[in-house]
Structures are given as C-alpha cells and as structure tokens.
C-alpha cells in the first residue's frame, strides 16, 4: 500500500465519491452518499461483495426502533450507550458512542423503508451486556443474507460496484487531500480514478498476521474467522498520511466456532443455560462475560478446544440461525439421551462431566454464583436429551483503527481532520476499547452501519456541494 503525489497519476476516469470496500460499511456509505446527491463508485477486491459481513451472524443492535415498540420493549439510545461504555470499561470515545447509539435506529428504519430490508427483532434470547432485546436481523439471521440484500439495494439504486479491483495506491496532496486512487486487476492491468471524496470501508487488519502479532499477541496463532482481504490497508494508508489511530489492540474474538467444521455457533447456547467444559469435562471460566473474551479462554485449554454443552430446548432457539442449521447438517452437533451417553460421545470422563452438570444445575436452583463469577440466577435448567458441540476460539475482526470525527472524517495525528478522507466500519476505531473484553455483541455491525451512514452522507454532501 502506498501514497503517491497526484502528478504521478494518469487518471482515466473521475467520480465524485469513491468507496473502497463493498461490505456492509461500504454499501451503506455508497447508498447514503448517493442519497446526498453524489455519484458513487464502489471498489471491491473480490469477484462478489462478501467481506466480513457475510461471515457474521448478521445481527445489528439498535435502540428505540419500531420493531422494539411492536414487541413492547422499552429502550433508548441513552441506555444503549450506557451498555456500550459499561462493557468497555469507559474506554471508548463517549461522543462516538452517543453518535452511533443515536443514529443506528434511524439507519435501520431508512434501509427498511427506502431499500426494502425486512428487519425483525430477536426476542427469545439476549446477548451478554445488553440491558434490552435490541438485536435486529433478516429472516435467515445470517450475514450472507444481509450482504446480499445490501448489494441488491446498491444495484437497484444504480450504484456501480467495480469488482476484482484491488486499490493499492492513494494519490494525495502534501496536506493530505486525496485526489484519487490506483487499482490493480487480477491480470496485472492498472486503472487510476480521480475522486472528490474517499471513504475507506476496507475493514481492519485481522488477516494480516504481522499486524495481529504486533497488536493482538494473545491471538497471533488463533484461527482467523474473518475475511482474508482484511490486511490493514486503511490503517497503513492512514499511518502513512499521519492519521490518528486508537485502540489498535481492540478486537472481537469468538469462543464458539465449531471445530473442525469452521461454523459459527450462536452464543445463545450459553446465554440460555449452557456452559463450556474442557476435554477433562470441567468448566474453566465465566462464559457469561461474553463470547469475545472467551476466545482466549478456550484457546488456553488442551488442544485449544472445548465442548459447549446445552440441551434440545436451547437447540430449538439456536435453530433460527442458518449457521446452526448448517452445523447440524454437517454433523457438528452431538445428541445424547443421558449424561453417561453424552460423556461417551464427547470422550470426556463421565464422573467429571456428571459432577460439572450437577454443580451447574444446583447453582441454577439456588440462584447462586460459581467460583469463577458466573451468576446462574434465573437461568433455565438443562434437561435430557442433551446437545454438545466441539468448539475452538477464533479472531473475527479488529476494532481499533483510524480515529474519525462526528462526520466520519479521518482525524490527523496532530489535530484536525483530513479534508476529504472518511472511514467507516472496521477501518475506523470503533467503540470496543483496547482489548477483547470491551466488545459488546453487535459492535462491529454497529460501526459498519452507523459510520457507513454518517460518512456516506458527509462525503456525498461535500462532493455534491
């Protein structure tokens, strides 16, 4: 990735707003920029837009929505902002937290009304750290449907998406004003496109092993469950230009990826009463803290794996997710009629597993808290037939990145902002703080949709004006 002076370019085309990356952040930014009156070009390195969005559960947290009101759920942006800051120990920028908490509900309403995305509210379970049911998703509850719907919306709006085009050069003035970008095609040919405003929506650096080792050493050797194209392009360009960065160690891990199948297993298997055990049949952590910090806990176990134990009732809840249905079809979900049968199928010591299950169920009956801090008050019991899935920990995506202002403009290291450079989604510093524990479920798509909307409107208005 390089920065070059504009006089070195041979621009063969020009566009008011260029967007690098056709994931959720890029497509929402493109739709928003067009709505603000600017022509837009989206540049995507893959043959078909997918990105990390397609690998996610596709759930977006939003407060005060019409879907919540229909379900009789009271929620406010203030309550959501408080949950974000509490999970991250007060580390995120409170202004950015309030901005995203306030804009995300209207953003989902706009996508539903203007572009036909059929959102609905998840009401039968709640992720750790959320004080209300506020997760919204599409019918399949999958990121694949979400990105397909966004791509369809962009195509329906006539927004060109230039696929199989890798942006590798930014042409910028000495003051950081971006004049265009250079693209490389798979056949080695090059194109150079001028632009009036640029939105970086090419996610973080999770696919760059050197950057992961430098900033997230605990997961340097972990399974990477994000998009391989997340090589830190935005971060590297920004640092070369003198952009401010923050919380580069912030990331979302996940302690529930079916192994060796590589399928994400919903955390409802835990929140609804399940738990995790090592290959020795014993629990090893407080699973209720969240799936992000659980990734490292699982990886510290023998062979870097664990078993998630739940029951048929919880499997029924999990089955609303397409990923879980895929895991069942692939044979990743183990079924057993008794504890002895379950221990045999998992190949763990029966006595240890039975003792673990008995302890957990006793705590549920008493509403107690265990030695590692998990409260079982109000948690439903597990009953036969049982279910289990072998899982490992994984890195999903990074949460630190370029610091942006209230319009999504990238800020300079010494103060102020670049005149026409914007960032959204994983390219920007999100609201999860400096590590894994600050990640509140949905923070990734919150930044993708919220900052995509904010940056797209600002970039479009600037270019159109």
């Amino acid at each position: 990735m390089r920065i070059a002076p504009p006089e070195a370019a041979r621009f063969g085309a020009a566009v008011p707003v260029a967007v690098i990356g056709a994931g959720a952040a890029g497509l929402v930014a493109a739709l928003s920029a067009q709505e603000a009156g600017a022509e837009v070009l989206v540049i995507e390195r893959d043959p078909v837009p997918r990105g990390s969005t397609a690998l996610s559960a596709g759930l977006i947290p939003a407060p005060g929505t019409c879907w919540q009101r229909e379900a009789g759920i009271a929620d406010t942006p203030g309550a959501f902002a408080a949950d974000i800051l509490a999970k991250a120990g007060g580390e995120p920028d409170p202004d950015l937290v309030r901005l995203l908490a306030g804009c995300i509900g209207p953003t989902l309403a706009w996508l539903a009304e203007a572009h036909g995305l059929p959102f609905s509210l998840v009401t039968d379970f709640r992720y750790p750290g959320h004080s209300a049911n506020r997760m919204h998703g599409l019918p399949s509850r999958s990121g694949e449907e979400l990105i397909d719907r966004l791509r369809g919306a962009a195509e329906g709006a006539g927004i060109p998406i230039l696929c199989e085009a890798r942006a590798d050069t930014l042409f910028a003035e000495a003051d950081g004003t971006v004049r265009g970008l250079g693209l490389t095609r798979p056949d080695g040919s090059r194109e150079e496109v001028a632009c009036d405003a640029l939105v970086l929506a090419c996610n973080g650096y999770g696919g760059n092993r050197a950057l992961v080792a430098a900033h997230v050493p605990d997961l340097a050797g972990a399974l990477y469950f994000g998009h391989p194209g997340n090589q830190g392009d935005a971060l590297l360009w920004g640092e070369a230009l003198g952009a401010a960065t923050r919380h580069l160690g912030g990331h979302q891990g996940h302690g529930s990826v079916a192994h060796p199948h590589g399928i994400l297993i919903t955390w409802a298997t835990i929140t609804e009463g399940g738990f995790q055990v090592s290959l020795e049949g014993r629990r090893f952590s407080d699973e209720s803290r969240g799936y992000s910090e659980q990734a490292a806990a699982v990886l510290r176990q023998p062979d870097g794996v664990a078993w998630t134990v739940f029951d048929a009732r919880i499997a029924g809840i999990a089955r609303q997710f397409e990923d879980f249905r895929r895991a069942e079809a692939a044979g990743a979900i183990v079924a057993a009629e008794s504890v002895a049968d379950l221990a045999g199928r998992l190949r763990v010591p029966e006595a240890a597993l039975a003792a673990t299950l008995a302890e957990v169920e006793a705590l549920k009956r008493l509403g107690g808290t265990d030695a590692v801090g998990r409260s079982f008050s109000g948690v439903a019991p597990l009953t036969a037939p049982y279910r289990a899935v072998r899982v490992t920990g994984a890195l999903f995506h990074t949460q630190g990145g370029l610091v942006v202002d209230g319009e999504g403009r990238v800020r300079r290291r010494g103060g102020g902002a670049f005149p026409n450079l914007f960032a959204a989604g994983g390219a920007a510093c999100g609201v999860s703080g400096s590590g894994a524990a600050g990640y509140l479920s949905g923070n990734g798509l919150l930044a993708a949709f919220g900052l995509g909307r904010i940056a797209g409107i600002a970039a479009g208005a600037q270019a159109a004006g």
Side-chain angles (χ1 to χ4, degrees):
M1 315 312 296
R2 68 188 187 101
I3 306 293
E7 52 268 25
R10 292 186 175 182
F11 295 126
V15 63
V17 177
V19 178
I20 300 178
L27 294 175
V28 170
L31 289 165
S32 300
Q34 185 190 66
E35 183 183 65
E39 292 184 22
V40 187
L41 173 67
V42 181
I43 294 100
E44 170 57 44
R45 63 183 293 166
D46 289 347
V48 177
R50 306 296 287 167
S52 292
T53 305
L55 299 171
S56 74
L59 298 183
I60 307 136
T65 67
C66 62
W67 300 281
Q68 284 181 312
R69 290 191 291 273
E70 290 170 1
I73 294 172
D75 193 16
T76 66
F80 184 24
D83 289 347
I84 293 172
L85 289 169
K87 188 69 168 66
E91 284 190 328
D93 176 358
D95 291 335
L96 179 60
V97 171
R98 286 190 289 268
L99 179 66
L100 293 180
C103 81
I104 191 62
T107 296
L108 297 192
W110 161 68
L111 287 169
E113 295 165 7
H115 298 288
L117 272 69
F119 290 112
S120 61
L121 182 69
V122 176
T123 58
D124 51 1
F125 76 94
R126 187 181 302 173
Y127 284 103
H130 286 281
S131 59
N133 288 350
R134 58 171 71 102
M135 288 294 191
H136 299 72
L138 298 179
S140 70
R141 303 288 192 251
S142 75
E144 291 184 357
E145 182 183 11
L146 185 60
I147 195 66
D148 287 344
R149 291 272 191 173
L150 288 172
R151 185 184 71 244
E155 291 172 347
I159 296 173
I161 303 174
L162 187 62
C163 292
E164 294 190 290
R166 170 77 187 278
D168 57 15
T169 305
L170 296 191
F171 295 101
E173 305 282 3
D175 67 353
T177 301
V178 176
R179 297 302 185 191
L181 57 157
L183 314 173
T184 301
R185 294 290 201 161
D187 63 4
S189 61
R190 291 189 56 79
E191 300 172 53
E192 292 172 353
V193 179
C195 63
D196 298 319
L198 176 64
V199 180
L200 298 175
C202 41
N203 213 292
Y205 64 82
N208 186 320
R209 288 192 173 274
L211 289 176
V212 171
H215 299 298
V216 193
D218 285 350
L219 297 185
L223 169 70
Y224 174 53
F225 205 75
H227 190 276
N230 297 341
Q231 293 292 317
D233 295 355
L235 176 61
L236 296 173
W237 275 320
E239 289 181 330
L241 287 169
T245 62
R246 192 180 187 203
H247 291 160
L248 293 184
H251 64 280
Q252 183 213 339
H254 209 297
S256 188
V257 176
H259 180 74
H261 306 80
I263 301 173
L264 175 64
I265 303 297
T266 172
W267 205 238
T269 54
I270 298 295
T271 60
E272 291 303 303
F275 56 87
Q276 290 187 328
V277 297
S278 69
L279 300 183
E280 298 170 342
R282 297 183 177 88
R283 289 181 58 236
F284 50 86
S285 67
D286 174 10
E287 308 94 335
S288 69
R289 296 175 306 158
Y291 54 72
S292 182
E293 52 266 60
Q294 192 68 6
V298 170
L299 289 169
R300 286 193 293 267
Q301 303 314 301
D303 296 339
V305 297
W307 286 99
T308 299
V309 178
F310 51 109
D311 62 10
R313 174 187 62 84
I314 296 175
I317 295 171
R319 208 166 281 125
Q320 68 183 287
F321 292 92
E322 185 175 321
D323 284 339
F324 189 83
R325 298 194 297 271
R326 284 177 52 223
E328 286 188 311
I333 310 300
V334 176
E337 294 297 324
S338 67
V339 176
D341 184 23
L342 183 63
R345 292 176 181 272
L346 305 190
R347 297 183 181 179
V348 303
E350 180 183 342
L353 182 61
T356 298
L357 182 60
E359 179 187 13
V360 167
E361 295 310 306
L363 287 166
K364 290 177 181 178
R365 289 192 299 272
L366 297 172
T369 298
D370 66 11
V372 293
R374 179 173 177 180
S375 171
F376 286 93
S377 177
V379 180
L382 298 185
T383 58
Y386 298 105
R387 299 288 186 270
V389 57
R390 184 183 173 101
V391 297
T392 189
L395 171 64
F396 269 53
H397 51 78
T398 53
Q399 287 285 292
L402 306 177
V403 178
V404 297
D405 66 12
E407 291 190 319
R409 282 186 175 81
V410 176
R411 297 188 64 85
R412 299 178 188 274
R413 198 175 295 135
F418 291 93
N420 67 342
L421 180 63
F422 302 79
C429 179
V431 291
S432 298
S434 60
Y439 185 84
L440 184 68
S441 299
N443 273 3
L445 287 178
L446 169 67
F449 279 73
L451 283 176
R453 179 70 169 152
I454 291 165
I457 289 174
Q462 178 173 315

